[in-house]
Amino acid sequence: MEPFEPFRKDLLSGKTTIITGGGTGLGRSMALRMAALGAKVGIVGRRPAPLEETVAAMRKTGGQGAFAPADIREPEAVARAVDALESELGPANQLINNAAGNFLAASEDLSPNAFNSVVQIVLYGSFHCTRELGRRLIERQQTGEILSIVTSYAQTGSAFVLPSAVAKAGVLAMTRSLAVEWAAYGIRLNAVAPGPFPTEGAFSRLMPGSEMEKQARRRIPSRRFGEHWELTNLVAYLMSDASPYQTGDLVTIDGAEALFSGQQFAGFAHLDRAAAKELMASLKPKR
Ligand code: COA
């Protein structure tokens, strides 16, 4: 599908946005899109090379960007990274908690350290970053926006990704708690739950082989995976001053995948429609 451009070029001017995991995957796409819409974007991640490349790509199209390598599991490293980004870009007023860790595993086989690694990145990392920006905003009497990328199973749980499910549920609870607690400071917090959007990081870990990919597509009533521009349009809107009353929300963007899984007769949506109608008509009592 062709990307659709609904926004003014300066939609995000005045925003200085920190994006964790901003060097690769959806984080990179969000960074490029937000920079193109006038935000100054500071990206954080563990590996310098993709961060550097993403900042170069932002600058190539006239955007303003900076990077700071950090492991968000360490609160002191988060503080140092925000200091470094602010010294280059000025005071930050936005954060996207995007960095994540995940893998498929039977839960009985998880080592305590495996559980810990994912929960430390997703839940503790999001808390450390949210706390760091929140404290600075409150201290400076600045308003701001914080967005967390979660997943539809943050609400339901999911088999075989237990550490991620537990951590994402926690991030959602944090979003909803702080939306209320920090509304008085003019800080908005929202969460977005994407369905499958192809990225190297997620698909290499969660989509083993083309058969799984085919099955995954069959669970999506829209019959396709998401495209990055579809997510970045939603994120740009939520992070902009076009949505000042939206806070504490969870917005799902998944082609109705999550609803499909919970609906008993959803399978009919995948039959040829004429065949489905014929089947349903055959069950209608004759008069
Ligand atoms: N199945 C079971 N256990 C696993 C695992 C897997 N696929 N991958 C890692 N682990 C375990 C390791 O064995 C280790 O436990 P142990 O010390 O008891 O053996 C523990 O997890 C930590 O692994 P390590 O590789 O040292 O951790 P890390 O902190 O470098 O990496 C991960 C963190 C495991 C989350 C890694 O997958 C990662 O860096 N992911 C980031 C990117 C990502 O996941 N993106 C997708 C988002 S959807």
Side-chain angles (χ1 to χ4, degrees):
M1 286 179 81
E2 273 300 298
F4 181 81
E5 179 52 76
F7 302 124
R8 281 177 8 191
K9 278 262 170 278
D10 64 347
L11 179 80
L12 298 173
S13 75
K15 308 293 185 191
T16 301
T17 312
I18 295 173
I19 305 180
T20 64
T24 53
L26 292 175
R28 181 180 190 276
S29 296
M30 289 187 280
L32 294 176
R33 183 91 175 101
M34 293 187 70
L37 291 169
K40 296 188 216 170
V41 180
I43 54 176
V44 177
R46 278 181 289 177
R47 291 175 297 136
L51 296 175
E52 201 172 347
E53 188 279 325
T54 300
V55 168
M58 279 192 258
R59 290 181 182 158
K60 213 167 156 184
T61 52
Q64 247 184 299
F67 72 94
D71 188 331
I72 60 167
R73 291 176 279 197
E74 308 288 339
E76 299 81 17
V78 169
R80 279 195 302 274
V82 177
D83 280 343
L85 294 173
E86 289 195 331
S87 71
E88 267 195 73
L89 301 174
N93 52 15
Q94 300 200 320
L95 165 70
I96 301 182
N97 288 312
N98 164 75
N102 202 0
F103 51 75
L104 286 165
S107 300
E108 64 273 24
D109 297 334
L110 284 172
S111 72
N113 194 36
F115 182 84
N116 193 46
S117 300
V118 173
V119 175
Q120 281 286 340
I121 296 171
V122 176
L123 180 56
Y124 282 71
S126 299
F127 169 71
H128 298 324
C129 295
T130 301
R131 172 182 176 275
E132 191 58 46
L133 183 71
R135 285 164 73 96
R136 290 176 193 230
L137 290 176
I138 293 164
E139 165 84 29
R140 299 195 286 245
Q141 300 190 357
Q142 251 187 307
T143 61
E145 290 78 32
I146 298 174
L147 184 73
S148 293
I149 306 299
V150 296
T151 157
S152 46
Y153 62 69
Q155 299 199 94
T156 57
S158 176
F160 302 110
V161 283
L162 178 71
S164 169
V166 168
K168 293 283 191 183
V171 172
L172 182 57
M174 177 179 77
T175 300
R176 289 171 167 163
S177 306
L178 290 177
V180 174
E181 194 175 325
W182 287 354
Y185 300 119
I187 302 173
R188 293 193 293 125
L189 292 100
N190 289 294
V192 165
F197 279 76
T199 63
E200 214 281 312
F203 271 44
S204 66
R205 291 177 173 86
L206 306 175
M207 209 66 88
S210 57
E211 188 45 42
M212 288 300 274
E213 238 183 87
K214 217 161 101 189
Q215 276 185 34
R217 220 178 258 113
R218 280 190 59 78
R219 284 195 307 274
I220 305 172
S222 297
R223 297 177 184 206
R224 64 176 178 83
F225 295 137
E227 295 190 20
H228 286 210
W229 68 267
E230 297 177 288
L231 178 77
T232 60
N233 273 357
L234 172 63
V235 167
Y237 168 75
L238 289 172
M239 297 303 270
S240 77
D241 293 336
S243 57
Y245 203 48
Q246 196 156 14
T247 189
D249 201 7
L250 168 67
V251 185
T252 299
I253 175 163
D254 71 347
E257 182 201 37
L259 291 172
F260 178 85
S261 307
Q263 293 187 8
Q264 194 174 356
F265 299 103
F268 281 97
H270 281 313
L271 296 180
D272 167 78
R273 195 51 53 96
K277 285 185 182 185
E278 205 173 303
L279 197 59
M280 289 186 253
S282 75
L283 301 175
K284 192 175 174 187
K286 304 276 176 295
R287 275 199 277 159

